[in-house]
Structures are given as structure tokens and as C-alpha cells.
Amino acid sequence: MIPEIGHFLLWLAMGVALVIGVVPMAGAARGRADWMALARPASYLLAALVTGASACLMASFLGNDFSVLYVASNSNSMLPTEYRIAGFWGGHEGSLLLWVQMLVIWMVAVGLFSRHLPREVLSRILAVMGLVSVGFLLFMLLTSNPFDRLFPPAPDGRDLNPLLQDPGMVAHPPMLYMGYVGFCVAFAFAIAALIGGNLDATWARWTRPWTTVAWMFLTIGIALGSSWAYYELGWGGWWFWDPVENASLMPWLLGTALIHSLAVTEKRGSFKNWTVLLAILAFSFSLLGTFLVRSGVLSSVHAFATDPRRGLFILAFLTIVIGSSFSLYAWRAPTVGLGARFALFSKETALLANNVLFMVAAGAVLLGTLYPLILDALGLGKISVGPPYFDSVFMPLMAPTFFLMGVGPMARWKETSVPDLAQRLRWALGVTVVAAIGTGWLAGSIHLVATCGLLMSFWIFSSVATDFWERVRPEGKGFAELRRRVGQIPRALAGMMVAHIGVAVFCFGVTMVKTYEVESDVKMAVGDSTTVSGYQFTFQGVKNVQGPNYEATRAQIEISKGGSKVSELHPEKRVYRVQQNPMTEAAIAPGFTKDLYVSMGEEVEGGAWIIRVYVKPFIDWIWGGCMLMALGGLMAVSDRRYRRKGGVAA
Amino acid sequence: MAKLTRLLAWLCLAFVVGTASANEAAPASADPVLEARMLHITAELRCLVCQNQTIADSHADLAIDLRQQVREMLQKGQTDQQILDYMTARYGDFVLYRPPVKSTTLLLWVGPGVMLVAGLVMLVLILRRRSRMPADKFDAEPDEEAVGKP
Amino acid sequence: MKYLRFLVPLIVFFGLVGFLFKGLFLDPKEVPSPLINKPAPAFSLALLDKPDTTFKRDDMLGKVWLLNVFASWCVACREEHPLLVEFSKSKMLPIYGLNYKDERMAGMKWLATFGNPYDASLFDHDGRVGIDYGVYGVPESFLIDAKGVIRYKQIGPFTVEAIETKLIPLVQQLKKEAGNG
């Protein structure tokens, strides 16, 4: 019964979404207050219906209802509860429902935090979001119903993919989808502004916090996915330039450009066309990602089970949404004003250059991701484009953005003097060079590429420090003023600094681990040990372990440094009972300055095992940096001006 | 006699202790340098079975066979390029994760650079054009809100 | 003229959609063989049932023939095998099996159970000949002409459609070529 209720709720939701998509939009065009007034309450109703449907699906999972095909395919009676919850978004149909669930959550948020928005604007925004939800609901109802029944019901489920049975994977999709879907808000704001003709600084001020929050979630989502790959997949890597990873990176790059572009439009009224285009692009790439993962056009480890019919539907949806957005853009953008004037050397120019660089970077990732498809479609053969290509192309493209990250915040609006800028930054430059070379020397060897990475990283650290110092100690007023001035720094600014530091931390982590990582593959009998980077790893044997839904062979590795014990690790080789696939669980001793990583290879004669030992310096700085970026976003959003009662004055 | 026995006992103890102390584990492969080279080369190759892993990392039978094949070729003294050519001759360009530079991939390799240059040129042109426009084309100066720069 | 640049995103997008649409009908996992129209790699293997008898690629020069890669552990081979058995009855061309990464007894037993369409089977225990032929999944089949050049590769199991629309016409064409050559 419950699945049928869920299914019914989805149909009702579609009806309501259709109403939201049409009526308030028409109301805004015609000035019909009653039609526009429908938007908010209808959005709340839509949210209630979709949440109800989600609750039905969740109930089916928690209750082990294997008469529901989707539950039978993604769950099992022995599956621990938290993974039964995660099973909801473990497959294609449920993940679509998650998408729509996130969308209605954002719609409710927009409804709640929009007292300051003019009626027409709010109506158009919710209408656009409603139309997007119509597309997804229709997709689900016509081709991917999570509530399809299985007759006769399966005696037990096929189990959730063991790779997904992990806390990181529980949180990763919801965070990611909050991000993807959050860009729909910026998109809706953009479309509303293009339709209504009110593209201005105020519009930017409204849009900015929504975009920042969405970006924050996307950053966290990507970081979670990457760190999960690191500790779960047993290969020690954390980014493979897989098409689906790229599908999440591209909206992130465009979203980052969007945040920066919005800053300019808000502050100076400039770049309106760029900003609106970026808002459309960020969400378009989110949708494109949805297509790439589910259509089967690209081979990916993340891809859901494919069906060309589904691919066709998403492509049609994509064409309608993005096609009409770009058409609207082409029609309305020429009439948009230029905003305030700015000189050749100014903060505006720095940010505009930043826009260009991020867009080129996203374009390069898109080119590499789709190139195999393009060649194949043209009958020109089959190639693969993998990490060697992306690494060699992407890093150089992003390098100039690091330079700008140091220069931009220090530049002044409207006009800035280059000699003045150089003078203010000369200390930072000096520290950067010394620190980069010094770090290499301390680490034991200096390499060209590593030094470039360190230069980029330290450049940001020192330029942020310079910026901070300038603000809290102008004209040498003395340290008494210091505390007061620090408190005076607006949250938005502090958020920027923290986020940029996050980038520096990220870059440092990547550079250090790629350059100075040490690996050792050894054959270990009980009692054998190996020494890597000063740490002694001793193999103490294996034992068999029963997990809730798996059997494992668990090794015991003792780690000591300088004679005293530091840690004990238990890597495992698991076989999940239902799907019978073997999995390697690496064991990691994380640390601030390095991770100790151990995984099991094969058993060899005499009860010995092949053991892989890694010492990875500063690898956690990669995800630490991402978290700092997200924290910076949070700080920026909590800025006073977004919390003024009644919203921001126009 | 007792002294000799004691000496023997100590020797035995020393022998036992000597061999029972922690052994340094032997490298997993017979030739670690070769092995490292093999992994370096196979990290550039795509596993054709699972298709989303490198031959270095894949557990598929074919990947295991190919790693062994590469080891043997390295032992015979073949160069990295010869080994990559060997793989390409049998599996096509698809097996290379670093796409070869040929006429069909020219756009791929040159594309990002071209986009960058085009973007920067466009930037310069836009800035130039703006600087030549009369002041009335621009919006009036917005009032500076005292809420900080970004 | 000014307005044209605002159309760029739309135009690029439609181009992209075109490719994505085409892509829906392609299989990204299929790896076409670079050996088509190239000489079949030489090999010298023992027969599956007669370990002391060797069979060489050159033994087949002058004949159009089919090399079918199979294994007893291969599930998809069981789908294809009845079709091959049926096809072999027409005696249109010699069919040789390549028992890939298998055990002799298992391979022979499998043929005894499911039928033997082959003139003979070759035993490729360590899969080296398979690697030379670019085999990455089982079953696969290679159609080789009288000059020893690979003219067609069937990736995955044969279907009735593949046999009738691709294999048979090509075999007939190659035989005619061989007759004239």
C-alpha cells in the first residue's frame, strides 16, 4: 500500500508543480496578484507531497519491502540500517527522487526567505523551479518509477553495492545534490531577471547568498566523494578525471566564477551579462551532468544502469531548459546596461579575467570529457582521454587564477595603480619564493613542478596575510586598535579570506602528496617489518572476521617510530555475502602532516601476504582545504547585510 | 664440560634470538626498480575489461596478464614507447589514457590553449572597447555601501 | 552584428546536443579492433585434444576461415554456441576454436556438452595469442581471408542477425576474391 501512496503523491506533486510553473509566471506577466500569490503556498504544498513520497520510499527501505523492485535491487535484510537509508539514493530511480526532494527543499527556503523580493520576481523564480521539477517528476513517472512493484516479491534483496556501504557515501550524494540543485536557484533568479528586465545590482545582491550556499554544498559534496575514493577504493588515489567526477567539477568551476561575478555586479553593477550567463551555465552543467551519468554515452564507474530511452528523455529535457534559457539570454542580454565604468587595471578587471579563466577551465574539462564521444560520433575512431591529459592541461590553466587570487583582493575598485599594488605585495612575493624553496629543501628534494605548486600556495597565504594586515593595522595605528579592527572586518570579507586560504591549503596538500609520497610493496610473513619514511610497519598476522553482511580477512599491522608504538592498523579483504564480490579495505592512520596508508595485496605461500604501505604527506590538507573553502562560504553568507530584517533595501 | 655446555647454550640462544628478531620484509617483486617502471607504464594504460581503471590498478585477469607481459618486455630491454606501441597495435588508441597527438586529436590538445588565448583576446578587446565609450553609456556610480570590498 | 555574439552559447549548445544525441546510439565500451585489414598475428599452438599436434596460422593460408575465441568459464559463449553449431553444419567455411585461458579437460568437456562446431580447437592456456589478437572479452571471433588478413571482428557473442547480415555476405565476398586471386 505504501508504495502506491508514494506513487500517487508523485502524480499529485506533478500536477501541483505544473500549476506552479504556469500560473504565477502568467500572473507576473499580467499583473494578476491572485495568480502570483499562489506561488508560495503551492511550493509548500509541493514540498509536502514530495516529502511524503520520499517518506514512503524510505519506509519501504527501512521495512525491507522487497516487493518494491527498487528496494530489492538496492537493499538486503542483512544490510545495516544506515545503509538501508543510503540505499534510497543508491540507484537511478531513488537518486532522481532525491534530486526532486532537494529541489523542493530549496523552493521552500526561497519561499521563506524572500519577504524582500517583489512579487513578480518571486513568482517567476518559483515558477522556473516548478517547471524544472515538472521535468524531473515526469521523467520519474514515465521512465524511472521508484515505486514499481516486483511480482512475485523477492525473498531478499540484491544488496546495496558494497562500494556504497560507507559513511562517506551516505553523505556524498545528498551534499552533492544540494549543490547541483542549489544552482537552480541562481538559475531561476537569472531567468526571472531576464524576463522581468530587472537585471541590476540589487538582483545580484539577492542572488548571491543562494549561490554561495549552493556552492558550499557542492564543494563539500565533491570533497566527500574524493576522500571516500581515497580511503575506500584501496588504490590510494583521490581524483581520476572520470566523466562523472568531471560532471561535478564543471558546475563547481562555473559556480566559483559565478560567485565572483556576482560580487562585481552587486558592488558596481558591472558584468551583468557575464553573471547571468554564468548563472545559466552553472545549472546547465548540473543538468548536463545528470544526463552524462544516466544516459550511457560515457563509460564511467559511477554511471547508473543505462537505458537509451531514459537518455533520450533527459536530452530532450536538457534541450528545452537550456535551449530556451540561452534563447532568452540571446534576446534580452543585448539590452542590459553596462554598469559602472572601470579602468584597465582594477579589481573589476581582475575578476573579469578570473571569469574568463574559470570558464576556459570548465571548457577544457568539457572538451576532454566529451572528445571520445565526438570522435566516435564522427566515425573517427575510439580514444580515451584520462588523467595524463587532464593533469597536463588543467594545472597550467588554473595557475594564473592563483596569481589573480593574490592580486585581486588587494586591487581597488574602479581603478588601481599597478606600481602601488606591486609595492604592497613585494613582501608577500619575497616570502612566497623563500617559503616555496625552503619547503622543498626541508622535504629533502626540490622539483620544478612541486616548486610551482608551492609558489602558488604560499603566494595566496602571504597575500591574504598582507591584505589582512593592511586592514587591521592601517597607517601603523598600534596594536591596541588591532582587536577592534579585526572584529570590524565584515563577515563577507573574512569569508573570502578563509576560502582563499582553503584554496592555498588544498594546493599545498596536492603538491606535497604528489611529489613526496612514498610507496613500498613488500612480502610480509608474520613478524616481518618494513621501514618507510622513518616509520616501522610490522605485520602481526591475519584473522578471520565476520561482518554484518560480509566475511573478512583482517591483517594486524603495528606501526612504530623511534621504537615507540604509534598506531595499529587493520586492513581487510572482504567478501560481501550477497553479491560475492571481493573488496579491499585500506587502513589509514590519518595525521595533520601525513597519512599512513596500508592495504593488503594477495596471499602468497607460507602464510605471507603482499602488503602495500604508503606514507602520504599532507594529503588530508586536500580535503581540509575544501572544508575551509566551504567554511569561508558559510561565513560570507552569514554577513550582517543578509540578515537585516525585512531583507535588503533595494 | 659444564663450561662447554654453557657456551653451547649461549650460542644457541644467540642464534635463536638472532633469527627470531624482526625480519626486514622483502620487496614484493623480484626487481623493485623494474616493477616501478612497469607500474609507471601501465598507469598510462586503460584496462579494457573494467574500463575505468588503469592496467596498473585493475584486478581483472587480462590486466594481470598484461602487467606480466610488460614485465617481460622490460626485462628484454624494451623502451616505454615500444611497450605503448605494442599495446596500441593490439587494442587501438583506446588503451592509451594519454591520447596520442594525431590529426584527429589536434583539436583536443590544442583546444584548451586556443580557448585561453581566445578568452584573453576577447577580454582585452572588451576592455579596450569599454574604455573608448563615452561616459553616458555607463550606469551612474552606485553609492558605496560601507560593507567592505567583496 | 553586435547581437550575434549573444547567440554563441545557443549555437554551441545545439552542436553539443547533436553529438550527445548521436552518442545515445553508440556503445562507449566497445573497442574496435586495430587489426582489421591487417595480417592476422602469427601463432603456433597445440590442439586442444591432441597436445602433440601443432597448428600454425600459416596452415590456413589460401583459405577463408573463422577463428572463434571461447572458454568453458565464459557464460556468454553458451548463448553463441548453438548458433555456431548450427552455422557449422552449412560447411560454408572452416571454423577453428581458440580455447582461451582454460584447462584442457574443462575445454574438451565443454565442447562435448554443448557441441563442437570447430574443425579443430587450439589451446591458448596463458592467453598470449589472445593478447596478440587484442582479445579483451570472450567470446570474440575473427574472420580471416585467404591472404591471412583479418577482415572482420565480432566483439561479443554472435547473434542470428550478425551471422546473416554481416558474416555470411562477407564470407561469400572473400571466397570470391580468393577464387579470383
Side-chain angles (χ1 to χ4, degrees):
Chain A
M1 200 50 210
I2 290 178
E4 277 66 39
I5 294 175
H7 194 192
F8 180 60
L9 288 175
L10 284 182
W11 276 109
L12 283 181
M14 218 202 65
V16 173
L18 205 50
V19 167
I20 300 176
V22 171
V23 175
M25 183 74 87
R30 292 185 180 200
R32 291 284 304 256
D34 51 346
W35 289 4
M36 289 193 276
L38 217 53
R40 234 192 230 111
S43 301
Y44 297 153
L45 176 60
L46 178 65
L49 291 170
V50 171
T51 310
S54 295
C56 289
L57 187 61
M58 189 61 85
S60 303
F61 267 96
L62 290 173
N64 283 326
D65 185 354
F66 299 122
S67 69
V68 178
L69 178 60
Y70 183 70
V71 177
S73 314
N74 290 286
S75 185
N76 184 273
S77 54
M78 284 193 289
L79 191 62
T81 312
E82 61 269 25
Y83 300 132
R84 263 185 257 165
I85 295 174
F88 184 113
W89 47 82
H92 166 73
E93 294 83 347
S95 72
L96 282 177
L97 185 51
L98 184 68
W99 224 99
V100 180
Q101 180 68 59
M102 295 302 174
L103 186 54
V104 301
I105 290 176
W106 281 100
M107 286 173 81
V108 166
V110 169
L112 289 175
F113 294 108
S114 56
R115 299 289 155 193
H116 55 285
L117 289 177
R119 239 180 2 201
E120 291 82 7
V121 174
L122 179 66
S123 304
R124 291 190 179 113
I125 290 171
L126 288 174
V128 168
M129 294 179 81
L131 285 174
V132 171
S133 69
V134 167
F136 276 88
L137 285 165
L138 202 60
F139 183 45
M140 262 196 291
L141 289 166
L142 293 182
T143 72
S144 322
N145 182 13
F147 297 108
D148 271 345
R149 289 282 203 174
L150 183 62
F151 280 122
D156 207 336
R158 258 195 20 210
D159 205 12
L160 184 64
N161 184 340
L163 285 175
L164 304 182
Q165 294 186 29
D166 177 271
M169 280 314 289
V170 173
H172 162 68
M175 290 288 117
L176 207 62
Y177 285 24
M178 277 297 274
Y180 284 148
V181 179
F183 283 140
C184 185
V185 179
F187 171 76
F189 268 85
I191 300 294
L194 282 174
I195 293 176
N198 62 315
L199 200 58
D200 55 18
T202 313
W203 166 81
R205 186 155 45 229
W206 295 332
T207 313
R208 217 166 147 201
W210 296 103
T211 311
T212 310
V213 175
W215 176 89
M216 217 176 76
F217 278 112
L218 190 58
T219 307
I220 295 174
I222 297 176
L224 280 175
S226 165
S227 80
W228 165 82
Y230 166 64
Y231 73 76
E232 178 66 18
L233 293 182
W235 116 89
W238 48 273
W239 189 261
F240 196 62
W241 294 105
D242 176 87
V244 171
E245 290 174 358
N246 297 348
S248 70
L249 183 63
M250 290 186 280
W252 187 88
L253 291 168
L254 292 166
T256 307
L258 178 59
I259 294 178
H260 289 81
S261 203
L262 277 168
V264 182
T265 308
E266 176 185 352
K267 190 78 181 142
R268 305 280 302 163
S270 320
F271 295 8
K272 287 183 272 215
N273 281 336
W274 279 109
T275 307
V276 126
L277 182 62
L278 282 168
I280 296 176
L281 282 173
F283 184 59
S284 301
F285 274 76
S286 294
L287 286 181
L288 182 66
T290 311
F291 171 79
L292 291 176
V293 181
R294 296 159 200 277
S295 61
V297 298
L298 294 173
S299 164
S300 163
V301 67
H302 290 81
F304 291 104
T306 64
D307 178 355
R309 205 171 42 126
R310 290 173 173 172
L312 223 48
F313 188 107
I314 307 181
L315 189 60
F317 181 57
L318 215 67
T319 311
I320 295 171
V321 172
I322 304 179
S324 46
S325 311
F326 282 147
S327 303
L328 184 62
Y329 174 78
W331 175 40
R332 299 293 256 183
T335 60
V336 171
L338 282 171
R341 198 167 199 151
F342 57 90
L344 188 61
F345 291 107
S346 59
K347 197 196 279 284
E348 286 94 326
T349 306
L351 285 165
L352 189 55
N354 185 68
N355 270 2
V356 169
L357 286 167
F358 271 90
M359 286 172 85
V360 169
V365 174
L366 184 66
L367 182 67
T369 307
L370 290 182
Y371 209 77
L373 169 60
I374 292 173
L375 278 193
D376 197 9
L378 292 173
L380 291 173
K382 270 215 152 86
I383 62 163
S384 297
V385 180
Y389 170 82
F390 287 105
D391 282 342
S392 56
V393 157
F394 190 73
M395 316 291 208
L397 275 180
M398 295 308 292
T401 63
F402 281 82
F403 172 70
L404 285 175
M405 226 183 296
V407 166
M410 305 275 289
R412 307 202 194 282
W413 288 111
K414 193 168 177 202
E415 186 161 13
T416 198
S417 141
V418 175
D420 175 61
L421 207 55
Q423 211 253 10
R424 286 154 70 200
L425 283 170
R426 69 187 198 285
W427 176 88
L429 187 60
V431 168
T432 300
V433 173
V434 168
I437 298 183
T439 307
W441 178 74
L442 278 173
S445 56
I446 297 183
H447 307 261
L448 180 63
V449 175
T451 308
C452 290
L454 290 171
L455 283 171
M456 296 188 329
S457 176
F458 282 115
W459 171 241
I460 299 175
F461 279 124
S462 44
S463 54
V464 169
T466 309
D467 190 10
F468 180 73
W469 192 235
E470 270 189 10
R471 286 169 196 278
V472 300
R473 226 210 67 164
E475 295 131 30
K477 278 227 175 89
F479 291 97
E481 281 268 283
L482 198 70
R483 251 201 92 191
R484 189 178 75 81
R485 294 205 101 96
V486 171
Q488 259 190 349
I489 295 180
R491 288 264 188 91
L493 200 69
M496 173 197 81
M497 292 182 177
V498 168
H500 286 179
I501 295 277
V503 178
V505 168
F506 171 86
C507 182
F508 187 80
V510 171
T511 307
M512 293 304 281
V513 86
K514 277 193 152 179
T515 316
Y516 299 107
E517 172 183 56
V518 183
E519 177 184 342
S520 173
D521 283 6
V522 286
K523 203 179 316 187
M524 293 180 119
V526 180
D528 281 357
S529 67
T530 183
T531 306
V532 183
S533 294
Y535 289 89
Q536 189 181 48
F537 297 79
T538 310
F539 179 53
Q540 295 180 324
V542 292
K543 64 176 182 209
N544 289 323
V545 167
Q546 298 271 333
N549 53 344
Y550 62 84
E551 323 252 333
T553 309
R554 177 184 294 179
Q556 188 159 321
I557 312 272
E558 189 176 287
I559 307 175
S560 52
K561 184 170 187 168
S564 51
K565 177 166 166 180
V566 162
S567 180
E568 201 173 271
L569 290 179
H570 303 112
E572 290 179 3
K573 277 237 172 239
R574 289 185 189 170
V575 177
Y576 282 79
R577 290 188 204 111
V578 178
Q579 289 191 8
Q580 285 292 307
N581 32 8
M583 273 200 30
T584 315
E585 285 279 316
I588 304 176
F592 189 68
T593 56
K594 64 178 76 70
D595 270 13
L596 304 172
Y597 183 109
V598 181
S599 72
M600 294 164 76
E602 300 308 316
E603 187 173 13
V604 292
E605 73 286 320
W609 282 81
I610 307 267
I611 306 279
R612 263 189 172 178
V613 172
Y614 292 86
V615 176
K616 295 174 181 279
F618 296 101
I619 193 167
D620 291 315
W621 284 45
I622 296 176
W623 305 296
C626 293
M627 292 306 157
L628 279 176
M629 288 187 228
L631 178 64
L634 186 62
M635 288 168 72
V637 168
S638 66
D639 191 278
R640 213 180 319 129
R641 67 190 146 162
Y642 301 128
R643 287 182 282 129
R644 259 181 234 160
K645 262 212 149 83
V648 184
Chain B
M1 197 57 197
K3 247 198 181 158
L4 189 60
T5 317
R6 263 239 298 247
L7 182 61
L8 277 175
W10 275 112
L11 281 173
C12 284
L13 191 62
F15 178 73
V16 164
V17 167
T19 53
S21 65
N23 287 322
E24 187 64 25
S29 62
D31 184 345
V33 175
L34 192 90
E35 192 72 5
R37 265 190 79 197
M38 184 278 287
L39 288 174
H40 182 76
I41 295 173
T42 51
E44 294 255 334
L45 297 172
R46 187 171 194 170
C47 173
L48 298 125
V49 176
C50 24
Q51 297 205 355
N52 291 298
Q53 281 184 295
T54 60
I55 288 183
D57 296 322
S58 172
H59 295 302
D61 276 350
L62 181 60
I64 296 174
D65 289 346
L66 287 173
R67 287 200 290 271
Q68 185 55 31
Q69 182 79 13
V70 173
R71 269 189 213 106
E72 287 171 18
M73 289 196 277
L74 284 173
Q75 276 161 355
K76 289 205 198 97
Q78 302 217 345
T79 65
D80 288 12
Q81 190 54 48
Q82 283 173 315
I83 294 175
L84 292 176
D85 289 341
Y86 175 94
M87 295 293 170
T88 323
R90 283 152 183 75
Y91 299 105
D93 288 336
F94 186 82
V95 77
L96 299 171
Y97 263 132
R98 183 189 304 262
V101 183
K102 34 157 80 143
S103 55
T104 49
T105 61
L106 212 53
L107 182 62
L108 177 67
W109 281 107
V110 155
V114 166
M115 281 193 271
L116 181 63
V117 168
L120 292 176
V121 163
M122 196 183 55
L123 180 66
V124 167
L125 289 176
I126 290 177
L127 290 174
R128 277 252 201 90
R129 195 162 42 88
R130 282 181 68 115
S131 69
R132 279 193 223 114
M133 278 183 191
D136 58 353
K137 286 259 180 176
F138 293 94
D139 296 353
E141 287 296 315
D143 17 275
E144 303 285 339
E145 278 207 346
V147 201
K149 285 195 201 163
Chain C
M1 194 60 212
K2 166 189 175 181
Y3 303 91
L4 272 185
R5 62 186 148 97
F6 292 105
L7 279 172
V8 166
L10 190 63
I11 295 171
V12 170
F13 174 66
F14 277 133
L16 185 68
V17 169
F19 281 114
L20 294 177
F21 180 73
K22 187 89 205 291
L24 284 174
F25 303 101
L26 301 167
D27 180 1
K29 287 186 159 287
E30 196 181 75
V31 188
S33 174
L35 294 171
I36 306 282
N37 294 326
K38 295 226 173 64
F43 63 83
S44 171
L45 287 176
L47 292 182
L48 182 64
D49 47 355
K50 302 198 186 77
D52 350 304
T53 316
T54 320
F55 179 88
K56 294 202 277 284
R57 173 205 65 175
D58 291 347
D59 293 344
M60 294 305 290
L61 278 175
K63 295 194 210 128
V64 178
W65 61 291
L66 186 72
L67 181 67
N68 172 256
V69 183
F70 76 99
S72 64
W73 45 260
C74 158
V75 177
C77 298
R78 287 184 217 180
E79 278 171 42
E80 169 188 71
H81 212 64
L83 296 177
L84 276 180
V85 170
E86 192 55 41
F87 178 65
S88 70
K89 293 196 185 132
S90 71
K91 298 251 171 263
M92 188 180 280
L93 81 169
I95 308 178
Y96 282 79
L98 184 73
N99 188 232
Y100 176 74
K101 299 213 61 157
D102 211 349
E103 298 303 325
R104 250 185 224 284
M105 291 312 301
M108 292 202 283
K109 197 160 145 215
W110 194 80
L111 288 178
T113 317
F114 293 101
N116 191 348
Y118 308 122
D119 290 30
S121 282
L122 314 168
F123 187 53
D124 184 14
H125 178 67
D126 52 7
R128 285 303 163 90
V129 174
I131 288 179
D132 278 340
Y133 276 75
V135 171
Y136 67 92
V138 192
E140 288 180 8
S141 308
F142 298 86
L143 181 62
I144 302 169
D145 72 10
K147 297 209 183 86
V149 173
I150 296 179
R151 300 297 287 265
Y152 175 72
K153 177 182 178 183
Q154 174 72 21
I155 299 170
F158 267 114
T159 56
V160 175
E161 193 207 333
I163 293 182
E164 284 176 10
T165 60
K166 296 215 185 84
L167 184 63
I168 294 182
L170 192 52
V171 171
Q172 287 166 339
Q173 180 200 328
L174 292 178
K175 280 178 133 181
K176 238 196 281 184
E177 274 176 28
N180 295 338

